[in-house]
Amino acid sequence: MSDLQRSFAKAKLASFPLEPPLPSAALLEEDEYAREEGDEIQPLPESEQDEGSSSASSTSSASSTGTIRPNSKHLFARPIGSGSGKKALDPIPWTDYFAQEYYLENVRPDETVIYHVYVIPPLAKGPLFVLHHGAGSSGLSFALFAAELHKALPNAGVLSFEARGHGETIVKTPDGHIKGAPHDLSLSLLSSDLVDAVKLLQARLDWLQLPEIILVGHSLGGPIVTDVALKGTLGSSVLGYAVLDVVEGSAIDALQKMNSYLATRPKSFSSLASGIEWHTRSRTLRNITAARVSVPSLLCRNPSASASPRDSEPWVWRTDLSATEFYWGNWFTGLSKKFLETKGGKLLILAGTDRLDKELMIGQMQGKYQLQVFPDAGHFIHEDQPAKTAMVVVDFYRRNDRSALVLPPKVGEFLKRKP
């Protein structure tokens, strides 16, 4: 290059503005999300059913039980905030993980319950995974797990249910007033609610019959799905059920310390981001992406904060766990026996083998159920390890899938084939 060319190049480069380096905070945030398991979620294939059923959904939304449908083109995309200008503690919307949400109205003589559910409709002959959260949690605790399920089984459907007194499910008196706490949270009523929600969804989506069902329950949801399977109220459609990190012995032992735990956790938060931060710092949740999705649904505006706009901590717990103490024994007593005696495939996923009680240890040695242990996860296994949990549940479904069975011909048919 000649001296004239060099001088021209220097003059040209000097005219361009300097580009500031990427802030170190942004680099740290990018690196943090690259390590998050929840951020491994890739876009899932669109379903023709979603496109074709949009008109039906808009028609049904005119009723008292409305439906909200997000843009299916952005379903299951990489969670918001990763590599963007979003803050690390910003909430992530449910529309990144579920196709629809429904409000299903169930009118009874003494009350009207409007169940709130998050749904991914099954395609063709795909199975339906019915998910029930634990006490104090919500249907969004299964968000990342549901996306991983759908990624592994694109035809599978998901119904993530919210129990009364949790999430956006509400209970009304016969005169139309919304019931507040304490709610009736007896095991029989909670299992009845789950069954009714499944049947109401069947009617809403015009299913001629229920698809094959795998029930999945975390913590309190474990006794509920076990009770539903034991009673057989969903008929032969139930292939099996999975219980996540709850067994009778350790659950009853833990209940003795529950009030002490509730006394130590914050009673309110200054913002949703503050609530998300507490869950991750306290190691209640070990996956920040899962916390950003589920924690906002656990909190609500303090009713008294509206009268005092300057309240520094306007966000309080949506579910008062201390008010449910009356039902704690009812939920877990006899769980191990029911779990082992109920017909159908059985899966138990734990965060540690120390949680097994005597009955379950004997049952496991006798091969009565499948046991999987995730020692690196906390109590919220499906949020801490959504991909691993989903893979175990998918394998469990495949082992119990009746449509995959190839039966030998009957003796009479075999004899007819003989020359």
Side-chain angles (χ1 to χ4, degrees):
M1 181 183 292
S2 66
D3 293 339
L4 179 62
Q5 288 174 319
R6 288 194 186 95
S7 61
F8 175 80
K10 288 180 180 179
K12 192 69 176 176
L13 289 171
S15 65
F16 293 146
L18 291 175
E19 182 177 354
L22 188 65
S24 59
L27 289 171
L28 288 173
E29 181 178 344
E30 187 76 22
D31 181 62
E32 176 185 352
Y33 284 108
R35 294 194 302 265
E36 288 295 335
E37 180 185 356
D39 277 357
E40 294 174 0
I41 299 172
Q42 301 296 326
L44 297 180
E46 288 185 55
S47 65
E48 294 181 1
Q49 180 172 331
D50 284 345
E51 296 292 335
S53 62
S54 58
S55 59
S57 176
S58 60
T59 303
S60 64
S61 64
S63 70
S64 60
T65 53
T67 302
I68 297 177
R69 177 189 296 272
N71 187 343
S72 61
K73 293 183 179 180
H74 301 292
L75 269 180
F76 312 114
R78 187 180 179 87
I80 293 174
S82 186
S84 70
K86 290 275 187 179
K87 293 182 180 179
L89 297 176
D90 279 357
I92 299 176
W94 65 267
T95 51
D96 282 14
Y97 300 95
F98 294 98
Q100 302 156 349
E101 67 172 351
Y102 288 100
Y103 295 87
L104 306 171
E105 187 176 61
N106 186 19
V107 180
R108 292 171 174 163
D110 57 338
E111 64 180 12
T112 296
V113 190
I114 301 177
Y115 306 117
H116 182 234
V117 298
Y118 296 100
V119 176
I120 302 172
L123 303 178
K125 295 183 179 180
L128 178 68
F129 291 85
V130 177
L131 317 176
H132 199 298
H133 59 80
S137 195
S138 77
L140 288 180
S141 65
F142 284 101
L144 274 66
F145 171 80
E148 293 291 347
L149 271 179
H150 197 278
K151 185 165 64 175
L153 292 173
N155 287 341
V158 173
L159 186 164
S160 190
F161 176 78
E162 292 187 329
R164 58 177 64 211
H166 296 73
E168 296 184 29
T169 292
I170 60 173
V171 183
K172 293 183 178 181
T173 60
D175 57 1
H177 291 91
I178 296 177
K179 286 184 179 180
H183 293 277
D184 183 351
L185 298 178
S186 58
L187 180 60
S188 59
L189 185 57
L190 292 176
S191 62
S192 165
D193 282 342
L194 181 61
V195 171
D196 288 347
V198 172
K199 292 181 178 179
L200 286 169
L201 184 66
Q202 178 186 5
R204 170 62 67 86
L205 299 182
D206 296 323
W207 295 337
L208 295 179
Q209 61 183 22
L210 288 173
E212 293 183 334
I213 290 175
I214 295 290
L215 300 169
V216 181
H218 170 252
S219 197
L220 165 61
I224 293 172
V225 300
T226 301
D227 192 63
V228 170
L230 177 67
K231 294 177 178 177
T233 43
L234 288 176
S236 60
S237 59
V238 176
L239 300 181
Y241 55 99
V243 173
L244 309 184
D245 207 48
V246 59
V247 297
E248 179 181 351
S250 60
I252 293 176
D253 290 342
L255 291 178
Q256 299 174 11
K257 304 174 184 177
M258 180 60 71
N259 283 320
S260 299
Y261 163 73
L262 295 177
T264 60
R265 73 174 187 170
K267 290 182 170 50
S268 59
F269 299 94
S270 59
S271 64
L272 293 177
S274 176
I276 294 170
E277 182 179 22
W278 178 83
H279 278 80
T280 54
R281 284 185 178 275
S282 65
R283 304 282 287 169
T284 302
L285 294 176
R286 304 179 185 185
N287 184 331
I288 190 171
T289 304
R292 292 171 61 199
V293 181
S294 66
V295 171
S297 64
L298 310 184
L299 306 175
C300 65
R301 282 278 184 180
N302 188 345
S304 63
S306 58
S308 177
R310 296 181 180 178
D311 190 341
S312 61
E313 295 191 337
W315 295 94
V316 296
W317 298 102
R318 187 181 295 273
T319 303
D320 182 3
L321 282 177
S322 60
T324 67
E325 182 177 4
F326 177 79
Y327 299 100
W328 293 350
N330 171 252
W331 293 342
F332 302 110
T333 301
L335 172 60
S336 294
K337 183 179 180 182
K338 287 199 293 185
F339 177 78
L340 294 171
E341 292 181 353
T342 301
K343 295 180 180 179
K346 307 172 185 64
L347 169 64
L348 178 62
I349 305 180
L350 301 176
T353 53
D354 58 319
R355 289 166 165 81
L356 284 176
D357 55 28
K358 183 179 178 180
E359 280 187 273
L360 290 177
M361 290 181 67
I362 295 173
Q364 202 275 327
M365 289 186 288
Q366 293 174 339
K368 291 185 176 181
Y369 66 93
Q370 178 188 344
L371 174 66
Q372 183 73 45
V373 179
F374 292 156
D376 295 332
H379 177 55
F380 293 87
I381 293 177
H382 54 304
E383 296 194 75
D384 294 345
Q385 303 278 352
K388 290 181 179 179
T389 307
M391 286 301 98
V392 171
V393 173
V394 167
D395 290 341
F396 173 72
Y397 158 71
R398 286 172 174 157
R399 280 195 298 274
N400 290 278
D401 180 14
R402 299 189 191 110
S403 64
L405 294 175
V406 179
L407 299 176
K410 295 180 180 179
V411 175
E413 295 176 356
F414 180 75
L415 293 175
K416 289 180 181 177
R417 294 180 187 176
K418 293 183 68 176

